[in-house]
Structure formats: structure tokens, C-alpha cells
Amino acid sequence: MPWYSTVVLRPFLRRCWPIFNILPRFNVDTTYVDGTLLENFADAIRPNTRIIYLESPNSWSYALQDLRAVADLARDHGIITICDNSYCTPLYQRPIEMGIDLALQSATKYIGGHSDTVAGVLSGSSAMIKKIFDSEYLNIGSGIQPFNAWLLIRGLRTLSARLERVSATTPKIVDFLKHHPQVEKVLFPFDVTFPQYELAREQMSGACGLLSFYLYADTRQEIVRFCEGLHHIMMAVSWGGHESLILPGCASLLDEEFNPDNPAHRVLRLYVGLEDAEYLIKDLERGFESM
Ligand SMILES: *Cc1c(COP(=O)(O)O)cnc(C)c1O
């Protein structure tokens, strides 16, 4: 069994979850809302609301927030907005131009581009960045090593070429999956069937190589067989590098916890890397045959 099997992923994912318990220890309350509807933000604002934290598109269902509208609403209430922009990268979406205060990137993903560096980038006005740099960053932030910074600069030089490549190959994979009888549906923001397709076209100038699809499966083992039947696409978290990766939602479940009526148990997140579309489609066919 390969080291990246679902058996290994399960305890890994469970260990990650306690992160949601950290903010309450600092007396920070959090309200989660469905960000696809603006009124949910308006309804959730309280006198002590300081920050609205966004991720558009998010990196499993690709749900979008209307960035201009949320930024306007927040500004009227003196609330700071932060948008995780890792999916689009600054080349395909510019949150700050839409009124968002701070944009952040997991540079581990597309900016590094080769799955060999962990880093993040935060952008905003000089005043805001100076405030964060002088206090939180210098005191509790983690500084980047020169070599890792050099890798990121190198990654930036090919970012546009890599994104152009995945923009050409990913729709072919989406098309293949959409028409496969074992697939219930595909989620990809630039696909015409995507629920927020219009908004995606309006605020994003491109979509990347990350998509999700729902398999028809009665047991978790069928999904395990699909993933382990792939010869090229590795099962792993993360994305944005040169190689294609797959992450099944059921990695965090035991066989007996699997419920085929729950679509979240049958979802797989596929990251399309820099390989040929035809090569990846052949690999996916191997997965379907293994089910
Ligand atoms: C991976 C990821 C992160 C975390 O980034 P790291 O660089 O791995 O710490 C944050 N946001 C999104 C959308 C991600 O995909």
C-alpha cells in the first residue's frame, strides 16, 4: 500500500481539525455563513464584528462570494475584509481592486508551483501591512528562509505559462468526467453548469486546475479502489504543483461510517497538474475500471 493511501490520510485530517478550537481561547467569536448569499453576511454582522474572512472560490465546492458586494457591505460597517485568493492566484483574480482590504495566497500552491516549498503571501495597503509586520509578523510570524523565497521568485517566472497550460487542459478533464456514467456531477467554476458560473466569469479572469466530482458508489471501498487504481495521479493533499493529485472526501471516514446518500462522502477533489490531458484521462479510465 502506498504511503499516501487513505489509511494514512485519515489520522492526518483528524489532527488538523482542532485548529478551529484555537481562536476561542483568545476570546475571538466566529460566525460561519453560507457566503453565496450577501444577506447572510448582513444578517451575521454583530456589534463586535471586526473581520469578514473569505475564500473565493473555496477549494472543495468552489463556492464564490460576491467580492465587490461583500467589500461594500463591510466598509459601511467599518469591518476589515480578507480574501484567501489561492485558487485564482493574483493573475486570475484581484480582490484588492474589488475593494477587499487584504488578499492572501498559499504560495505553497501555484506561486511555488513545484510542491517543494511552504509559504504564504499577504497583500494590502502599506499601512495595514506595516502594522501587521511590526507586531504579529515580527513577534509570532514565521519568517521565510532565503532559499524558499528564491524558489518562490523562480516559481513566479513561470506562473503565467503554467496557468495557461492548466486553463487549456482542465476543461478537457471536466468534459471527460461530466460524460462518464460513473460520475454524478462535476464542480468547476468555469463550467456552464456551475451554480455561480455568471459571477465566476465576472470576477475571475481564469480558473485553475482544481475541480471536484461526485462518484456513484455504494461503499467506501469502491472509492478506495478508484484512487488506488490510478497509476499516475497520486493521492495526497495540497495542489498547485506540477503533478496531478487526488483527494477523496471519504479519506476522513472509516468504511462503516460511509453513507452513500451523503454526497460529501462520494466527492473527490482532483488537481490537474501540467501533464497532457489525454494522459490523465487514460489514468482516470484505469481508476473507473478498478471500481
Ligand atoms: C493549502 C491552502 C492553504 C494553506 O496553505 P499552506 O501554504 O499549506 O499553509 C490556505 N488556503 C487555501 C485555499 C489552500 O488551498
Side-chain angles (χ1 to χ4, degrees), residues 55 59 84 86 106-109 118-119 239:
E55 183 191 357
S59 48
D84 187 325
S86 302
S106 165
T108 309
K109 310 287 168 47
V118 175
W239 50 276

